Every structure is written in structure tokens, then in C-alpha cells.
Amino acid sequence: MAHQPTTVHRRDYSAPDYLVDHVALHFDLHQEQTTVHARLELRRNDSDNAQPQPLRLNGIELELLGLALDGVPLTQEDYRLDAESLTIERVPSQCTLEVITRIRPQENMRLEGLYRSGAMFCTQCEAQGFRRITFFLDRPDVMARFTTTIEADRDRYPVLLSNGNQVAQGQAAGNRHWVRWEDPFPKPSYLFALVAGDLACHEDRHVTASGRTVRLRIFTERENLDKTEHAMACLQAAMRWDEATYDLECDLNDYMIVAVGDFNMGAMENKGLNIFNTQYILARPETATDSDYEDILAVVGHEYFHNWTGNRVTLRDWFQLSLKEGLTVFREQQFTAAMGAAAVKRIQEVRGLRAAQFPEDAGPMAHSVRPDKYVEINNFYTATVYMKGAEVIRMYHSLLGQEGFCQGLALYLQRHDGQAVTCRDFLMAMAEANGIDLEQFGLWYSQAGTPCLEVHDEYEPGSGRYTLHIRQHTPATPGQPHKQPLHIPVIVGLLNAEGHDLPLRLENETQAITTGSRVLELRHERETFRFLDIPQRPIPSLLRGFSAPVKLDYAYTEDQLAFLFGHDSDEFNRWEAGQQLSARILLRWVNEGRGSIPERFRTAFRRTLCDTETDPALLAEALALPSENFLAEQMKVIDVEGIHIAREAMRCNLAEHLSEELRARYALCVEQGNKTENTAAAAGYRRLKNAVLGYLATLQNSTELQRCLDQYATADNMTDALAALALLVDSNASEAEASLADFYRRWQHEPLVVDKWLRVQALSSRSDTLARVIQLTAHPAFDIRNPNKVRSLLGAFAQGNPACFHDVSGAGYTFLADRVLELDGINPQVAARLVTPLSRWGRHDPRRSSCMHQQLERIYAQEGLSKDVYEIVARSLDRAVE
Ligand code: B3K
Ligand code: ZN
């Protein structure tokens, strides 16, 4: 690395020197180039200051064609231009600046700013893409009213969209036309959006609680119009839910969504004009799985909820990112839970948190929910900011209850509507609306690392006293050697020998809480809670619903875990006990050599398998063994092979012993699935059926192989077809090739289905997987410029297939580093995501860790590395980023 890119620090924040009241944009879109004419109405922010600051506008890779101040053209002596900005030394305290720039969207492979996806133009401005469109005060605390005129060829781009309301349109010379949009709400530039294309539209409407009609439109390429039903229903459901839950209505007459095939992330909440990755909009049962349907509900909801938590009230600076993201993820979680299967949702959230955020918090990239510094802000759209951020919001909710939380949110939105604010403003609103002190709670924003709770208990039979001792401890993280105790809500219940919740009365209380659970609030390093009138030694059910993002250490016996797995009234903790129990056995096998499966575990597993009362989707979660990545996190030095072998052995062993029960359950799921009309119920049966099929396939006999082939051949939905295909690919059976070829032939014209075809091969545990992935990078179906393809093939391989990626030869690491370097010249944002698995080098055995380290060094030494990749690699190698 020739020079070190600069680091931005949170402590250096200062208010903008200038504000933009209004901006008029005119886009002239052509195939080879686009001209952008911007008219900025500027005002000095510090007008009392006698020494006015120069006007400095952000701008990257823009060709400046013209500049005029209050109508007077400026010459080169009047301004300074460098690679990232345009500076004018003196401007009047109120003025109009006109800027004409030329950009080349068709060459934009970074997919930031204005770019092309297929035959259309679209934008992505968050976090700092707007500065690639025109010179601007591209920071979230500068909120302007936007008027946008788009001019383009009438045939190629009949649809021209931007934020707000369409206010005018007309024809222009040369078969061109134009449309003008006006956004009534002031907004930061990161929420600006533009789309131009030959798009089809699915239109519907929503009548708000107060009786206003909002026109809803989802735009896609024509061939995808038949896949927008579900997304539309999700949008309407989200609108109703936010009205019913938080009394928040859509504030626009028009709400538009556009689905594009080339997108760096999931979706973007641009005001009134959301732009989505096609993955989170398009679905038909034949092309999308049940989990795709669920993801669409979550992401459509998420972007809609941002309209209040993010857009109406926005961020002062990018360090506050979790203010909108953590809060909006939490709102999305509440919404999807309300739409069905709350416990399954919670399990998946916690699985995700443990798979992505816990390792981040324990590695070189560890940062707090409100980070203190960054080199490239796009690197901080992390699991910590999003997922741990949502857990922080959930803890407010646990402490305040739904009503108190609602009051706090209402105060926050009312107090800060139209403003750009901080995480602290949110905390103050929550505290004031509820009349409580949340100062200590604020540490959740500034302290990185996953706290650990060590719990001990004592029971005094004579007096009926049961005592919980809880000690909290947060390990050091880079730059934060010492941690302070946090304010942590721990929801607990106590089970008697029959498995029922005991009434809970703490010392000094006159009445017991009879609902079974209660919130214990930790504030000090050590806390003691003494419960009275406990008739017998109870089994504690701790951290119900995963009430805080912490690790729990309580010396459960395996019998107790099996008991909780069978009886806990908290569905999350039932699942959790099962996971802890199987993890315990598996880790024992890894460390001490394989033994037999304890009878109590097999019995518990059988009971789950034969349970016909519980939601089948929940049973599927309970039958799934902890992932290899989860098990890896529990080890000091990760034993990749040992974990893989132990986990496969346990799956086989369970299948061999319970093959009758598995077959019966498979048949029952098929039968029940065929009978039901209800799509959610049918999805539940499918999930359980495919979990069961996974066990049966480990038997590797011809009956089970045939079962997979039959399911693949007869499936009328993608969920069943893909589940069977994945098992066939894993099985090494000769038929697998034919199925893969069949799948590709059938779906090669559906990019999202081709993504699944790539992913299923990248995730295969077969020993030739790396060779196959390498081959696939040369297949016409793969395109390194398309982020979905990169994530499906390369991302899935490096993150989701530890056994193959960590092949002891180190070939997986070299391959990944090569792809990172190749992609860095094309799309740095996606390249930086791809490098993350290498950053965990410190967790592996000496041989692997030195191979991984070597590849990081190789990337680091590359000339002209992007800021994005540089930052991740430098931090991973512990090279100071100050
Ligand atoms: N706010 C966007 C993420 C933008 C990422 C920029 N690198 C999507 C979301 O969280 O809703
Ligand atoms: Zn978001």
C-alpha cells in the first residue's frame, strides 16, 4: 500500500459550514454519457462568524463542464479542484451555485452513484454515492428539498422516476422526453434516487387509517411482472402494521419500488422510491423458496419502516448509522414476528447474530454499535451496527415494555421530525418519556465486545430460598482494553420438577409475579437475586427469548438441558437447550474422540421428531444441529475437520437409529402438506419435511437416493426442488450431475434461480468443491461484476462451507485472495465483504492461520488497493489504522 488512506473520527464532527435549502437537478441521459446540471441554493450556516469558511463540495470522478455563482461564470482561478472536492474560497452568505458535470454511468462498475443495471439506469447514493453524481455537501446533516428533471430517449426509457411527486412532463427534440419530480420533504443526499428504463409496473393502493389513499407501484423488467404479487402484499401488510402498532402513516401520495438485478446490497430506502435487489422482490413458488418469501417480507417491511426511522428523522453523521439501522431492524423483527411464527423468527435472528456478529465482536474488526472511526464508511454496514444494534433496541423494549417503548419512540419522532440526530437523542427520548435513567445503558453504544454472564445458584431447602449470582464480564477488544459493567435485562423463569414455571417473588417484594418470567436488571459486575417460597430446587431458564446479546455460562447438566428442551415454556429457550446439549456432545467428540450418543439426547430427539402438536417449522429448527460455524466459535483453536466429521457422524448416527421415525415423519409431512391450502402452514410442513429428508439422505442407500430424485422430479415449488438438489449434489451419486444439468437447462434464463444453482454447488461438502467453484467462475452463468453472483458462488463458498474453504492445502485461501484482488478493481465495496473470512486467521491452527495470514499480506502489498479492502486487511493484520 503506497499511502495510507485517511481515517475519519467521530470526535471530529463539526456542523456544516453551509446548508442547501433547495437543489434543482437536470439529468440528460445518453448511452455514452450523462450530463448533470445542478442548481444549489446555498446559505451559510455560521452567518454570525466574521471569518466565513470556504465552500467545499464533495465530488469524485466528475468532469466539471461549467460553474457559475449567482449567474456569473467562474474561471479556473476562482476555485480549486482535487480528486475528492471542489473548493470556492469566498461565497456570499446566501447564493446560487450552478454546476454542470459529465459522468459515465455505463462504465460505473462500483454500483455507487448513477449506474446501469441491464438496460436501465439507477442510483445508489448511501452512504456517499451522491458525490459521484454532482458536487454537493454530501453528508446526512445537510437536508435539502430536491426538484429533479430527467431527460432521455423516449423508446429506451419510457419510465423516468425520482423521489416525491411527478409535477411536469414533456417532449423534447430527437425522440426524447422529460419528466420532473418534486420531493416535498427535505432530505439528505443519500436518500436521492433516480431510475430510467423500459419498465413494467404492478399497481395497487393502500388506504391509510386516516383515510388517505396511497398509490403503490412496483416496477420491474417486463418479464418479471408476474413475480411481484407477494412483495405488494408485504408492502400493504407493513403499512397496516406500522399504523396499528406505532400510529405511523405513510406520508406520501405515491410510494414506488424498483427491482434491479445489479445491486451491492439488499435494498435502499430512498424517499418514496425504494430501489431493491431483485432478490428481495421477485417471487413465484416455482422460482423462489419459502425462505425467499420470508426475506421479502422482512426487507420490504424494513425499507418501508425507514420512512420514519431514517428518513423523517435522519442521522447527524455516519457514526450514528445504528440509530436508523438497529431501530429499523428491530421494527422489522417485530413486524415479521407479528406476521406469524414468532419463536421461529427469534431463533433465526439469534442464529444470525451468533453466526455473524459474535465472531465480528471477537475479531480484529470489533467495533461498537456506534463506531468511533472509519476509513471507508461502507465497511461499517456490519452485523454489529445492524444486528447488535437491533438487540440494543430490543433491550430498551424489554426494560420499558411495549407501551413505554411506544411512548419513547413517539417522543423521539415528534421531537426530531425533520432533523439529523444522534443515538444519544434516541436514548434521551426513551429515558424522558419513561422517567428513567438510561445513562449506564448508553454504554451499549460505545463498548464493543460480547459480554459474558457467569451464573451460579444456591438453594436452601429449609427456607425455600433460591439465589442467583450473576457476574458480567466483557473481554477486551482492539482499542478498548478495559470494559465497564453494562445495564443488562435478563429475563428468567424457574421450572419445577414437573416442568412448570414457578411464581417468582424476589426478596423485599410482597407479591409474586405469576406469569412465569420476569426481567432482572444487571448493573454491577456482580449481582445477586434471591427468590422466596421456592418449594424445591428449580431448574433456571435463563435469558429467555435471548433478552440480551451476551454469552451465558451456567453449569447445566446434560439432564437439565434435556429437561429444558422438553419442557421450557419459553419456546426460544427450549430450542436453545437442545442446541446447547447437542453442541456439548459434539464438542466432546471433537476434543476427546467420538463416543456414542447419550440416550437422553436420542430420546429427546425422537420426541421432537414424533411431536405432532408443535408448529412443524419450530420442530425443524429443533432438529437442526448447531452449524459448523457455531461450533467453531466455541473452540479456542478451531478444528475445522474435527467439527465437520463429528457433526456428520452425529447426523448419520441419528438417522440410523431413528430411520423408521424419520420415514414416517416424511410421509406425514407430505400428506399434511398436500392437504393444506394455507401457504404458511404448507411452508412449515416443507421445512420439517426437508429437515427430515436431510437426515434420511445421510443413510446413502438407494431408497433414500431415490427419494431425493423423486422429490426433485415431482416438486412443484422451488423449496422442495432445491432441498432435494442440494442433497443429491452432496451425495456423490452419479445422478447428481444429471439433476444439476437439468436444473440449469430449465432455469438458465432466471438469474435468481441461477444464483441458487451456483450456491448449491459452492456449499457442497464434496471434496472436489473447490475445483468445481474454480470451474464455475469461468461458466457463462457467472459474472464477477454482478454482486448476487459473487455472493452466491464466492461468498457462499468462503463463508458457508468451512470444511472446503479451509482445506489444509490453503488452496481455498489463495483462490479467495485472487478473486478479492480481481474484484477490487471493479467493485471495492463487494470485494471488501469477500475478504472478511480471511480476517479470522487468528482462530485457526498454525498451518491454516499462517496460510491465511500470507494471503492477507499478499493483498496488503497490492498497489492501488481500494480504501474498502485496505481497511479490512490492515485491521486484520493489526497494522495501525489511526
Ligand atoms: N440503508 C441501506 C444500506 C445502504 C448500504 C450502503 N453501503 C439498506 C438498509 O439498511 O435498509
Ligand atoms: Zn436499513
Side-chain angles (χ1 to χ4, degrees), residues 144-157:
R145 275 183 306 108
F146 280 69
T147 305
T148 306
T149 308
I150 313 165
E151 188 181 317
D153 184 87
R154 210 164 34 204
D155 298 327
R156 284 183 209 260
Y157 309 104

Side-chain angles (χ1 to χ4, degrees), residues 23-73:
V23 49
L25 296 169
H26 187 286
F27 288 84
D28 211 359
L29 302 176
H30 290 271
Q31 294 305 96
E32 297 306 320
Q33 60 173 60
T34 290
T35 338
V36 185
H37 192 133
R39 213 167 131 258
L40 276 49
E41 284 165 29
L42 292 156
R43 175 164 51 95
R44 245 170 70 195
N45 193 23
D46 59 345
S47 39
D48 311 335
N49 190 338
Q51 277 269 282
Q53 296 295 316
L55 171 68
R56 184 171 177 275
L57 302 174
N58 310 99
I60 297 184
E61 287 175 28
L62 303 172
E63 192 183 336
L64 183 61
L65 301 182
L67 195 58
L69 187 61
D70 288 328
V72 182

Side-chain angles (χ1 to χ4, degrees), residues 126 265 267 269 302-303 306 324-325 378 381 386 829:
E126 188 177 359
M265 63 274 170
E269 70 264 24
H302 180 105
E303 305 312 330
H306 265 316
K324 74 178 177 81
E325 295 306 345
N378 285 315
Y381 287 73
Y386 274 66
Q829 232 182 92

Side-chain angles (χ1 to χ4, degrees), residues 272-526:
L273 179 57
N274 290 181
I275 299 182
F276 272 63
N277 187 325
T278 44
Q279 191 187 349
Y280 296 109
I281 291 292
L282 304 180
R284 267 196 299 137
E286 310 87 87
T287 60
T289 62
D290 295 328
S291 24
D292 294 331
Y293 274 74
E294 286 168 15
D295 291 347
I296 291 170
L297 179 72
V299 181
V300 168
H302 180 105
E303 305 312 330
Y304 173 69
F305 301 141
H306 265 316
N307 190 48
W308 280 97
T309 51
N311 300 4
R312 286 286 288 254
V313 180
T314 194
L315 313 176
R316 188 193 74 171
D317 57 72
W318 290 116
F319 298 102
Q320 316 299 327
L321 184 57
S322 196
L323 175 64
K324 74 178 177 81
E325 295 306 345
L327 177 54
T328 304
V329 171
F330 176 69
R331 275 154 53 64
E332 161 210 322
Q333 292 178 350
Q334 282 193 308
F335 166 62
T336 54
M339 297 296 112
V344 175
K345 283 277 152 6
R346 188 64 188 137
I347 288 167
Q348 289 167 348
E349 287 153 19
V350 175
R351 241 195 238 291
L353 184 82
R354 285 174 169 160
Q357 201 278 324
F358 279 20
E360 187 167 273
D361 236 353
M365 272 296 288
H367 56 276
S368 48
V369 165
R370 183 189 53 209
D372 292 319
K373 57 178 184 186
Y374 63 75
V375 170
E376 170 52 64
I377 183 56
N378 285 315
N379 284 333
F380 285 83
Y381 287 73
T382 57
T384 300
V385 166
Y386 274 66
M387 296 176 169
K388 187 173 180 180
E391 296 301 320
V392 171
I393 304 294
R394 183 178 293 271
M395 289 189 283
Y396 282 107
H397 188 271
S398 298
L399 292 169
L400 306 173
Q402 173 71 7
E403 203 181 315
F405 183 81
C406 277
Q407 282 161 3
L409 186 65
L411 178 62
Y412 166 70
L413 293 175
Q414 170 226 318
R415 188 182 270 179
H416 299 296
D417 192 7
Q419 298 177 359
V421 301
T422 65
C423 297
R424 170 114 195 125
D425 293 315
F426 183 83
L427 180 136
M428 292 309 290
M430 283 288 155
E432 284 173 32
N434 289 277
I436 62 162
D437 178 358
L438 289 169
E439 282 311 305
Q440 188 188 2
F441 187 81
L443 285 172
W444 279 106
Y445 288 103
S446 54
Q447 211 165 264
T450 308
C452 180
L453 304 185
E454 282 167 33
V455 184
H456 298 276
D457 59 353
E458 290 160 79
Y459 180 63
E460 300 159 52
S463 66
R465 282 210 302 213
Y466 175 73
T467 310
L468 283 174
H469 300 281
I470 308 183
R471 174 175 175 256
Q472 61 163 298
H473 162 76
T474 305
T477 53
Q480 288 189 342
H482 306 293
K483 310 281 182 174
Q484 288 167 258
L486 295 156
H487 183 182
I488 308 177
V490 180
I491 301 183
V492 302
L494 301 177
L495 273 65
N496 68 13
E498 285 72 51
H500 298 139
D501 282 323
L502 290 163
L504 302 176
R505 175 156 82 95
L506 281 173
E507 206 174 36
N508 302 327
E509 287 178 348
T510 46
Q511 275 204 320
I513 291 190
T514 50
T515 48
S517 288
R518 66 178 299 159
V519 187
L520 305 179
E521 295 188 32
L522 314 185
R523 292 172 190 275
H524 301 105
E525 187 195 343
R526 287 169 200 276

